[in-house]
Amino acid sequence: MGGVNLAEPNRQSPLAAVFLVIRGVRSFGIVQIVVAGGFLLSQSPSIWLVALGAAVVVLISVVIGLLSWWRYTFTVKDGELSVRKGVLSANNLTVPLDRVQTVSIEQKFLHRIVKLVQVSLDTAGASEAEFTIDAVSEDVALALQRAAADYRRDTAVARDAATGDPLVDRLGDAGPIPAPLPRPDEVVLQHPPGRIIKMALTQMPFSGLAVLAPLFAFGEDIFGWLPIDLPEVDLDVGAWLFWFVPVAILAVVLASVILNLISTLLRDWNLTLTKTDVGLRRDAGLLSRTSVASSLVRVQSIATSQTIFQKWLGLYHVTLHNIGDADVAVPGCDETQVQLVRDLALDDGDGVEVLNRYVSSQAVFKATRNTAFFMIPLAIGLYFVLGWWSLLFLLIIPITWATTRRSVRLQRWGIDADAVADHQEFLGWTRKEVLIRKTNSVQVRQSMFERKRGLATVQISLAGGLLGGGSLSIGMIPLAEAQAVRDRVLYVAETDKRAFM
């Protein structure tokens, strides 16, 4: 990494042209290409004409890929990352390093074969990766990751000096504060293979079948290719229901669990969370290796959740929400690891330890009333089509009452000196916690229903915006409490001078 000079124009590896060609072909759609080829082959009197057309398409893709590779250069200079790209026209992109949210390094299976990696950069305010460098050496990727991290650290040191750091007063005219020496990386947590297997077992039973979804469109053809004939079932004989249906359901569940296991092992193998001198780095993957680095100061909120399956095995899922779309997810944690990650995200603050406030039970009445207003006319309308069976739709009303009552009874929230937290629960639970000083705005809103009952909703918006981890909303609470939360949040946000993004 020491031999990498980012100040000079750098170009991707020549093998990046291969990735560009493959990506160009994939953009057309593999299925569409196969169908078009089959159609032309069936209509053309000569297979050589089809082969010539395919050769022309491949040649054009190769030429475009080579030109895209040759025209793509990037440099890091004067606190800015500059990218120059474009085939027919030049496109210059300049990104200040202080706006870089994360630098992700991914080594897919094809990259691993040729010992290259793919680098993606997310910036503050962008909902997706600002740009992607398809294929570079790992040294270049690590140099980019380090350059962004070092610039954020140096900027923070300069900002502390400008705001009157006590060390400046002691140094006098001795000069600016030197940047702190890099500290060795510290492994916060690392999941062994046994933990990865437990993570796979806690996923939804049928989630693994999503991999097979495209095959359902060709189900009839697939059954036709089988070397054996499936038995014909006499629907007039009900005995098969007692063995065929349970066996089929068991087979589907078993297949989904196996697919979940394979997918989780490939994605999260050797999942490691490392604390560096500038933030956190998450590494995971078996065939494809992914590395995501994020500055802790840019973490906007922390969400901890536990599904009903994770409860059985004592696992938790932790997500650090960053600005934009660059969240750091750490599944499969135990209680000790959750506390370690939480302490890091909260900047060693105490956070909200006790959640002793509840939302109003009027939320149950509101949900039940709205459901009744919709379901009663629907049941009456369907009576003339379905008869008395339409009354079954009315069962949704008591179901809504029971589920909402449980959710409201278990929901609780709290506010402390420097954080706000909300806990929601039904079968599983989710706890979201934000630092007050990272608030961009706070609103107190009242619907007509809330206004009549002296209730309100408080909406805390963070730097990430209203989507994803960028906000925290607590509704159906007394108006006085909502206003107190607003005043507290505004006071801390205005008086705390520490960086929040």
Side-chain angles (χ1 to χ4, degrees):
M1 189 167 62
V4 178
N5 185 9
L6 295 178
E8 298 295 330
N10 284 266
R11 185 172 280 110
Q12 302 180 80
S13 167
L15 288 172
V18 178
F19 294 101
L20 293 171
V21 172
I22 295 175
R23 189 172 63 184
V25 173
R26 287 180 59 187
S27 65
F28 290 106
I30 301 299
V31 175
Q32 290 84 344
I33 293 176
V34 172
V35 171
F39 175 78
L40 293 176
L41 186 60
S42 62
Q43 300 295 323
S44 175
S46 173
I47 190 175
W48 297 108
L49 184 60
V50 177
L52 178 62
V56 171
V57 172
V58 171
L59 181 60
I60 293 175
S61 300
V62 170
V63 171
I64 294 177
L66 289 173
L67 289 176
S68 300
W69 164 76
W70 179 255
R71 299 274 292 177
Y72 195 113
T73 59
F74 55 93
T75 58
V76 176
K77 193 174 182 180
D78 298 330
E80 293 182 339
L81 191 151
S82 301
V83 178
R84 180 182 176 88
K85 59 182 179 178
V87 178
L88 299 180
S89 59
N91 183 10
N92 296 317
L93 175 66
T94 301
V95 179
L97 289 181
D98 58 355
R99 290 186 58 84
V100 175
Q101 171 69 10
T102 58
V103 180
S104 304
I105 301 175
E106 185 174 6
Q107 190 177 47
K108 300 178 180 179
F109 181 67
L110 188 57
H111 288 85
R112 177 166 291 190
I113 294 176
V114 295
K115 297 182 179 180
L116 298 174
V117 297
Q118 176 180 288
V119 183
S120 301
L121 282 85
D122 295 283
T123 59
S127 59
E128 57 185 14
E130 186 77 27
F131 60 88
T132 299
I133 305 176
D134 290 279
V136 293
S137 65
E138 188 173 3
D139 288 344
V140 174
L142 292 175
L144 280 170
Q145 202 174 62
R146 173 58 62 181
D150 287 346
Y151 188 82
R152 288 196 300 265
R153 182 190 61 198
D154 296 341
T155 303
V157 171
R159 182 173 55 246
D160 291 340
T163 55
D165 190 286
L167 182 59
V168 178
D169 299 332
R170 294 197 302 268
L171 289 176
D173 297 329
I177 301 176
L181 295 176
R183 293 176 297 180
D185 294 348
E186 175 187 350
V187 176
V188 179
L189 60 87
Q190 186 173 29
H191 291 341
R195 181 72 62 84
I196 305 298
I197 294 175
K198 288 183 178 181
M199 289 165 49
L201 296 177
T202 58
Q203 295 185 15
M204 294 299 294
F206 298 104
S207 60
L209 296 180
V211 181
L212 304 179
L215 299 180
F216 289 108
F218 306 97
E220 185 176 349
D221 296 332
I222 292 175
F223 286 129
W225 295 336
L226 294 177
I228 59 175
D229 295 329
L230 296 177
E232 295 184 2
V233 179
D234 187 1
L235 296 179
D236 295 332
V237 181
W240 68 280
L241 291 173
F242 296 100
W243 65 269
F244 181 77
V245 173
V247 170
I249 294 176
L250 180 61
V252 170
V253 172
L254 182 61
S256 180
V257 170
I258 294 175
L259 291 174
N260 281 338
L261 179 61
I262 295 174
S263 174
T264 305
L265 287 174
L266 293 177
R267 182 185 64 249
D268 296 322
W269 180 262
N270 196 32
L271 190 151
T272 305
L273 187 68
T274 306
K275 180 182 179 182
T276 67
D277 57 330
V278 291
L280 289 178
R281 187 181 70 248
R282 179 191 184 276
D283 302 286
L286 184 58
L287 298 180
S288 299
R289 189 75 178 168
T290 303
S291 176
V292 180
S294 175
S295 172
L296 281 173
V297 73
R298 294 174 182 255
V299 175
Q300 297 297 293
S301 64
I302 175 172
T304 307
S305 61
Q306 193 177 46
T307 66
I308 186 173
F309 302 107
Q310 291 170 338
K311 284 183 179 181
W312 295 341
L313 296 179
L315 300 181
Y316 300 82
H317 187 102
V318 183
T319 303
L320 303 180
H321 295 290
N322 293 322
I323 305 172
D325 190 22
D327 297 341
V328 178
V330 190
C333 296
D334 55 31
E335 291 186 2
T336 302
Q337 293 170 340
V338 170
Q339 191 60 44
L340 288 174
V341 178
R342 181 171 174 266
D343 290 342
L344 290 173
L346 294 175
D347 197 16
D348 293 327
D350 296 331
V352 183
E353 298 296 338
V354 179
L355 281 71
N356 53 5
R357 301 174 184 268
Y358 296 85
V359 300
S360 172
S361 59
Q362 292 292 327
V364 181
F365 171 71
K366 180 182 179 182
T368 307
R369 183 200 65 176
N370 293 345
T371 303
F373 281 167
F374 178 77
M375 298 309 304
I376 291 176
L378 178 63
I380 295 174
L382 292 177
Y383 172 78
F384 300 99
V385 179
L386 302 177
W388 293 106
W389 289 102
S390 64
L391 297 179
L392 293 176
F393 286 92
L394 298 179
L395 294 177
I396 298 178
I397 299 175
I399 292 175
T400 301
W401 173 83
T403 55
T404 307
R405 181 175 180 272
R406 175 177 172 81
S407 298
V408 170
R409 182 169 56 86
L410 296 176
Q411 182 180 356
R412 51 193 184 273
W413 63 280
I415 182 170
D416 213 327
D418 58 353
V420 182
D422 180 46
H423 176 100
Q424 299 189 20
E425 184 173 352
F426 185 64
L427 296 178
W429 60 268
T430 300
R431 172 186 171 128
K432 188 172 182 179
E433 196 165 10
V434 300
L435 285 176
I436 297 177
R437 63 184 178 85
K438 299 192 176 185
T439 300
N440 263 3
S441 64
V442 58
Q443 301 179 26
V444 174
R445 297 181 285 105
Q446 283 184 298
S447 64
M448 185 178 297
F449 180 89
E450 290 174 325
R451 182 177 299 177
K452 291 181 178 180
R453 292 160 179 81
L455 304 174
T457 297
V458 59
Q459 174 84 45
I460 301 173
S461 299
L462 307 174
L466 295 177
L467 301 178
S471 67
L472 178 65
S473 180
I474 305 174
M476 303 297 289
I477 62 176
L479 177 61
E481 289 189 359
Q483 292 173 339
V485 172
R486 177 196 60 193
D487 296 341
R488 173 64 185 173
V489 168
L490 289 176
Y491 173 78
V492 174
E494 291 175 359
T495 57
D496 196 314
K497 301 304 181 182
R498 289 176 293 175
F500 68 97
M501 63 174 291

